[in-house]
Amino acid sequence: MIPSGYQDRFAYHFTALHNLKDILKYGLLSTNLKDQKGLPHLNIANSDIQLRRSEMPVTCGPKGFVHDYVPFYFTKRSPMLKSVLKSKNIDQNHIIYFAISISQLLEANTVFTSSSANRNAPPDFYSDPKDLDKLDWNTIDSPKWSYPDELRYAKQAEMLVHGSVPLSSISHIIVWDEHVKEFVGPRIRKHAAGLSVECAFDAHFKHHYFNYPYNVRVSAFTGPISLRKKVKKNIDAVLELGCVNPMYESLDEAIQEIKTNFTCIQELKGIEGLKTDNEMHHEDVGAHTRSVVECVRERLSRYDFTPHEENIIIFSAYLHDIGKGPKSRWPDGIQKVDTEHPVKSLPMLKRILTEDVGGLTADDIRRIHMLVVYDDLFGEIVAKGRDKQQLFEIIENKDDVRMLFIIGLSDMKAINPVLISKNIEKLKELRRQAFEYLENRS
């Protein structure tokens, strides 16, 4: 039997909302079963981790490999979810949870682990519920967001169910908000009338997602769909407000002033001398920005842009990291790695383009937003597994692609030229695919 103190617990499997249709049809399936059935599953997990799991043997119960099992975490909010969200490939409101009672451990097809089965070194595998006492429950239940490595792995102890989990075994489903609940609820009732759908905004379920502590309705991570919406809203606001009394009448005038006085725009002043704890960077944010601009100028000589188009790229290069500032938001004066800095640049862009720089067309404003917010998109697709569809969704023509390619490579070169030499063929192939996408679309 389940030891006293654990009997009312649940374990949780999270997946993309996109997969709900097949889950309603087949239940939750192991990775190997999904592959055997040829199901078009949207996989949001790290590919390197998935390779390790596919080769990791399970040493008790039905045995086999980890990918022969449907995985559940005992913790409500796992560091793996945080990693998935930081990959920028899914919006948090598109993550749904399936909860299963810990009593499933009484079944012969279920085992559990001492920690996550994500490392080269495998965890301990157990099939006797009495071994639940060996897990680090203080860490599993902790609401903290970040942990040292060993605790992070211990927090992600898993319950593994061999083969599949039918909907009849699911206790409840947890979704981001009422909007998602209204979408999921009717579909669930068609297949499992008694299965409840719970909203994460309800106090009891608030620890399943990463949201801002001062507002549980706001995700702490901006996904690709939300980002596109925020960018469009910002562009629309800039166009509506216009720039009536600009400090600079043209991009060229602004660039000439920045060249001699980097801090003439307040957002650039906010990153000047701003140190960073990002070990990839050897310069402060302001110095890195100037290095990127120099790399852009050097690379522009290989292209046939108009002077105005060149100014768009150069100006955007000056602004590409403004979201990492201002210095005043970092208590110790050192900028921490912040995956949200593209979003934080939006209100800054709005101010700059409605107060400081005039003479811009609607397309100029669109391109500046594209280059500032998505400056690292080429690099992150090639080196970090970001979905290339995000590139296809923001480009309107081949010059957009070329501009993003230039600013992306310039950023990489300013950080470490080796990054380009290691990835240049993949970067060029991605550029070719973007051109092909535009040709097929037209």
Side-chain angles (χ1 to χ4, degrees):
M1 62 180 294
I2 304 296
S4 175
Y6 303 114
Q7 294 170 354
D8 295 330
R9 284 183 174 271
F10 296 91
Y12 306 94
H13 175 94
F14 68 83
T15 188
L17 181 61
H18 175 87
N19 299 321
L20 180 62
K21 182 179 179 180
D22 282 337
I23 291 172
L24 294 178
K25 185 175 181 180
Y26 299 104
L28 294 170
L29 302 181
S30 69
T31 297
N32 285 343
L33 268 182
K34 283 180 286 195
D35 290 345
Q36 289 172 24
K37 290 181 177 293
L39 297 180
H41 180 80
L42 177 58
N43 195 336
I44 56 177
N46 178 282
S47 58
D48 291 337
I49 288 176
Q50 292 309 297
L51 177 60
R52 289 196 289 272
R53 292 174 71 90
S54 71
E55 299 173 343
M56 184 178 292
V58 175
T59 57
C60 61
K63 297 192 176 179
F65 297 91
V66 173
H67 269 185
D68 291 319
Y69 294 76
V70 180
F72 293 79
Y73 289 118
F74 290 111
T75 188
K76 293 179 179 179
R77 181 201 289 149
S78 88
M80 182 54 66
L81 174 60
K82 183 179 179 182
S83 177
V84 165
L85 296 174
K86 289 177 72 173
S87 74
K88 304 179 184 179
N89 280 333
I90 190 167
D91 290 68
Q92 189 164 206
N93 64 335
H94 287 188
I95 295 287
I96 59 175
Y97 282 88
F98 292 84
I100 189 171
S101 170
I102 203 171
S103 63
Q104 178 72 38
L105 289 174
L106 297 174
E107 302 296 325
N109 68 339
T110 305
V111 301
F112 63 101
T113 69
S114 59
S115 61
S116 60
N118 294 338
R119 295 185 287 176
N120 290 324
D124 295 321
F125 290 92
Y126 305 107
S127 57
D128 189 338
K130 288 187 296 186
D131 289 323
L132 286 168
D133 286 332
K134 297 179 179 179
L135 275 54
D136 183 354
W137 291 102
N138 286 335
T139 301
I140 289 171
D141 291 340
S142 171
K144 290 171 58 179
W145 282 23
S146 299
Y147 303 83
D149 281 350
E150 289 306 314
L151 290 183
R152 185 170 74 250
Y153 299 130
K155 183 176 181 64
Q156 297 181 106
E158 301 180 44
M159 188 166 89
L160 303 171
V161 183
H162 192 266
S164 63
V165 178
L167 286 180
S168 59
S169 294
I170 302 298
S171 168
H172 54 277
I173 294 173
I174 304 156
V175 300
W176 172 255
D177 61 10
E178 292 293 339
H179 178 72
V180 182
K181 184 175 179 178
E182 289 173 3
F183 174 84
V184 172
R187 290 163 174 78
I188 292 293
R189 286 192 289 274
K190 288 182 180 179
H191 294 80
L195 184 55
S196 66
V197 180
E198 309 294 345
C199 179
F201 292 165
D202 297 336
H204 183 70
F205 301 100
K206 66 181 180 181
H207 292 304
H208 286 81
Y209 294 91
F210 289 91
N211 34 28
Y212 283 114
Y214 59 81
N215 188 346
V216 297
R217 296 176 183 268
V218 178
S219 174
F221 298 95
T222 305
I225 297 174
S226 296
L227 183 58
R228 288 200 306 275
K229 289 179 178 178
K230 289 176 184 289
V231 170
K232 183 181 185 305
K233 183 178 180 180
N234 210 66
I235 292 172
D236 289 346
V238 171
L239 293 174
E240 182 178 354
L241 290 169
C243 192
V244 180
N245 296 303
M247 186 185 308
Y248 307 106
E249 296 293 338
S250 67
L251 275 181
D252 187 64
E253 186 180 333
I255 289 169
Q256 294 307 315
E257 179 66 17
I258 295 170
K259 193 174 180 180
T260 58
N261 178 18
F262 182 77
T263 61
C264 63
I265 290 180
Q266 71 181 48
E267 286 76 11
L268 294 179
K269 184 176 181 180
I271 60 172
E272 178 69 330
L274 175 59
K275 296 179 181 179
T276 177
D277 72 350
N278 188 337
E279 59 186 22
M280 292 289 291
H281 288 257
H282 59 278
E283 300 176 299
D284 67 59
V285 181
H288 166 73
T289 296
R290 289 188 288 274
S291 295
V292 172
V293 171
E294 289 309 306
C295 292
V296 165
R297 291 183 184 276
E298 174 190 321
R299 193 162 289 274
L300 282 173
S301 62
R302 310 174 196 179
Y303 294 83
D304 189 26
F305 286 113
T306 67
H308 182 68
E309 289 170 333
E310 289 186 354
N311 281 339
I312 288 174
I313 305 171
I314 292 168
F315 186 67
S316 300
Y318 274 121
L319 302 185
H320 83 281
D321 269 350
I322 55 175
K324 293 180 178 178
K327 290 191 287 282
S328 59
R329 81 176 175 99
W330 303 106
D332 57 1
I334 299 177
Q335 180 252 332
K336 305 293 188 294
V337 176
D338 181 8
T339 58
E340 290 293 290
H341 78 268
V343 182
K344 293 184 173 71
S345 72
L346 289 174
M348 300 178 180
L349 279 175
K350 179 181 175 183
R351 193 208 67 76
I352 293 168
L353 300 179
T354 58
E355 296 180 19
D356 287 357
V357 183
L360 300 175
T361 67
D363 200 51
D364 295 340
I365 291 167
R366 177 191 66 83
R367 278 180 161 167
I368 291 170
H369 275 78
M370 176 187 72
L371 294 173
V372 172
V373 175
Y374 294 99
D375 70 286
D376 54 1
L377 187 54
F378 260 90
E380 290 197 339
I381 290 171
V382 165
K384 296 183 179 181
R386 199 166 170 183
D387 185 0
K388 63 185 177 184
Q389 190 63 33
Q390 294 179 45
L391 171 62
F392 301 159
E393 287 168 342
I394 64 169
I395 54 176
E396 294 189 2
N397 49 60
K398 290 187 177 181
D399 278 343
D400 284 354
V401 179
R402 296 184 182 100
M403 289 178 173
L404 280 166
F405 187 77
I406 289 171
I407 203 165
L409 263 65
S410 298
D411 193 23
M412 294 171 73
K413 183 177 180 181
I415 295 171
N416 184 353
V418 174
L419 293 174
I420 295 181
S421 59
K422 285 175 60 178
N423 295 288
I424 189 60
E425 293 307 317
K426 292 180 181 178
L427 290 162
K428 288 180 177 179
E429 172 59 18
L430 178 59
R431 179 179 61 181
R432 185 198 66 76
Q433 290 178 19
F435 288 159
E436 184 179 62
Y437 168 81
L438 289 168
E439 290 167 358
N440 291 337
R441 189 175 67 179
S442 60

